[in-house]
Amino acid sequence: MKNIRKRLLWIGMLGVVLLTLMSGCAHLGQKPEPVNEAQILLDFFENERDYLHTGGSFVITAQNLRINMLTRPEKQYLIDVRSPEAFAKGHIAGSVHVDITDVYNHVKGIDADAYENIVLICFAGQATGYLTSLLRAAGYENTVSLKYGISSWSHVFAEDSWLKNISSQRQAEFVHTPSPPKNAPGPLPRINTGKTDPEEILEARLETLFAEGFGPVMIGHCCLFNDFYANGGYYIVNYWAPDLYRKQGHVPGAVNYPPGSQPFRSENDLLTLSTDIPNVIYCFTGQTSAYVAGYLRILGYDARSLLFGANAMIYDRMRQNNVPNTFLPDSEIMNYEYVTGQ
């Protein structure tokens, strides 16, 4: 009888051991839940670094930059991201030339806190609007973009940029219909850097986006109209106040996302953006839309900025109706001095 009891005891103990091993193996065979990196980033921005909504103006006018350069030049750090040839042709005295893909590493290599402003300069203020967004995301709150780019500094530069791109050729195609409904809220995009810490995810995203440059972000109105009417290949975001959307008309099919409603917060309309097709954002100048696109691309959205905004499509109407941010050469081009060479 004792032997039988011992055998039963050993069998029971062996069963417990086997069950433990089996449950352990089953646990090992389970795949861990994938980390939602976009959600981690979004939480970080909205709770700790909400630069898109609370960061203040991301542009500086030529007039204010000139005053700063005359009164406290040692507090201004100017980075010109145009081509070496354009920089040699003419640039603002004191600026340094940096390739657009090297801007992030360059800024990390200077004592950024020593400057009142880190001023980014391009042809039209659109590429640098985008770069300013990325740098502010990285924590460089003193980064600003020269409004209208170097076109606002001198007529010489405007001739090759803004003055060649203001146009009314889409005026007859704009419509005054009510805004189409937004998409139903959906999931965030999927990004995969392999990181779990928000600042490490952010660093990986910034390295990728700076390496890509501004090329993947920009889209002209010809491509927008041709591709959209051909296959509906874009989700078009109109980033204007509702009254301007109605009165000035809009790109057919464009959905109104009023800036005043802070639509790109998660509790508002962020999740209505498309994760299937590119989101083309347009404002009046292409500068604000580029700034917004920077934020959205960090989160993984395929966000693009319409070059020169409404100024490239309904310029005469904007002038006639005194629409804000109409590029007015007489008041926006200052004709300040500049230097040439490297």
Side-chain angles (χ1 to χ4, degrees):
M1 182 66 69
K2 290 183 179 180
N3 290 335
I4 293 174
R5 287 177 180 175
K6 285 183 179 180
R7 286 180 181 178
L8 290 174
L9 181 62
W10 277 109
I11 290 171
M13 293 176 64
L14 181 60
V16 171
V17 171
L18 288 173
L19 284 172
T20 303
L21 290 173
M22 288 174 66
S23 64
C25 290
H27 176 72
L28 290 174
Q30 291 177 353
K31 292 184 178 179
E33 286 293 320
V35 174
N36 190 334
E37 295 185 22
Q39 186 65 58
I40 293 173
L41 262 186
L42 180 60
D43 291 342
F44 172 72
F45 282 135
E46 294 193 337
N47 296 323
E48 298 185 44
R49 192 176 292 169
D50 193 14
Y51 77 93
L52 183 68
H53 304 105
T54 63
S57 177
F58 68 92
V59 297
I60 185 170
T61 65
Q63 299 96 312
N64 286 338
L65 176 57
R66 179 175 166 80
I67 290 171
N68 290 349
M69 294 297 290
L70 291 173
T71 58
R72 46 191 188 282
E74 74 285 354
K75 291 295 183 180
Q76 318 302 314
Y77 193 87
L78 278 57
I79 300 175
D80 192 317
V81 302
R82 296 174 300 145
S83 67
E85 295 78 15
F87 184 82
K89 180 180 177 181
H91 56 269
I92 301 171
S95 57
V96 296
H97 178 261
V98 180
D99 187 85
I100 196 168
T101 60
D102 293 330
V103 168
Y104 189 32
N105 288 330
H106 182 87
V107 171
K108 286 193 288 187
I110 65 175
D111 183 6
D113 291 335
Y115 299 99
E116 177 184 66
N117 294 303
I118 299 173
V119 184
L120 305 183
I121 303 163
C122 64
F123 290 102
Q126 298 172 88
T128 50
Y130 176 68
L131 298 178
T132 296
S133 182
L134 300 187
L135 285 174
R136 286 194 174 188
Y140 297 102
E141 298 176 358
N142 54 343
T143 307
V144 289
S145 170
L146 179 59
K147 188 176 183 180
Y148 297 119
I150 203 165
S151 293
S152 64
W153 197 262
S154 174
H155 197 277
V156 169
F157 307 118
E159 287 178 347
D160 293 328
S161 182
W162 268 96
L163 294 179
K164 289 174 61 175
N165 287 282
I166 51 179
S167 164
S168 299
Q169 66 184 93
R170 298 292 177 184
Q171 204 154 276
E173 298 175 74
F174 266 46
V175 298
H176 295 266
T177 54
S179 174
K182 297 176 176 66
N183 292 330
L188 284 166
R190 302 299 298 184
I191 56 178
N192 183 23
T193 68
K195 310 293 184 181
T196 57
D197 177 80
E199 296 199 54
E200 290 182 354
I201 298 171
L202 175 59
E203 180 70 13
R205 291 295 297 148
L206 291 175
E207 289 178 357
T208 296
L209 295 174
F210 272 102
E212 290 177 352
F214 189 54
V217 186
M218 57 186 185
I219 181 172
H221 62 85
C222 290
C223 293
L224 174 66
F225 275 74
N226 294 342
D227 291 352
F228 181 74
Y229 289 133
N231 55 28
Y234 300 112
Y235 184 69
I236 306 175
V237 174
N238 170 285
Y239 196 55
W240 297 356
D243 61 328
L244 291 170
Y245 179 90
R246 292 189 299 267
K247 293 177 182 177
Q248 305 308 320
H250 51 272
V251 173
V255 184
N256 185 216
Y257 283 69
S261 70
Q262 297 188 342
F264 303 120
R265 288 186 183 275
S266 59
E267 68 268 25
N268 296 333
D269 298 312
L270 174 69
L271 299 180
T272 65
L273 295 175
S274 177
T275 56
D276 299 319
I277 58 176
N279 301 275
V280 176
I281 307 159
Y282 76 93
C283 61
F284 293 112
T285 67
Q287 297 172 104
T288 301
S289 57
Y291 186 72
V292 171
Y295 177 77
L296 297 178
R297 289 180 75 85
I298 293 171
L299 292 174
Y301 287 101
D302 184 349
R304 308 187 189 184
S305 176
L306 188 65
L307 291 172
F308 298 94
N311 276 274
M313 299 183 289
I314 57 167
Y315 181 71
D316 289 341
R317 183 181 299 173
M318 290 178 67
R319 289 201 65 154
Q320 291 165 5
N321 296 330
N322 297 315
V323 174
N325 291 310
T326 303
F327 183 77
L328 303 173
D330 291 343
S331 59
E332 299 294 351
I333 302 175
M334 305 313 300
N335 287 317
Y336 293 143
E337 69 282 357
Y338 60 91
V339 296
T340 60
Q342 298 297 330

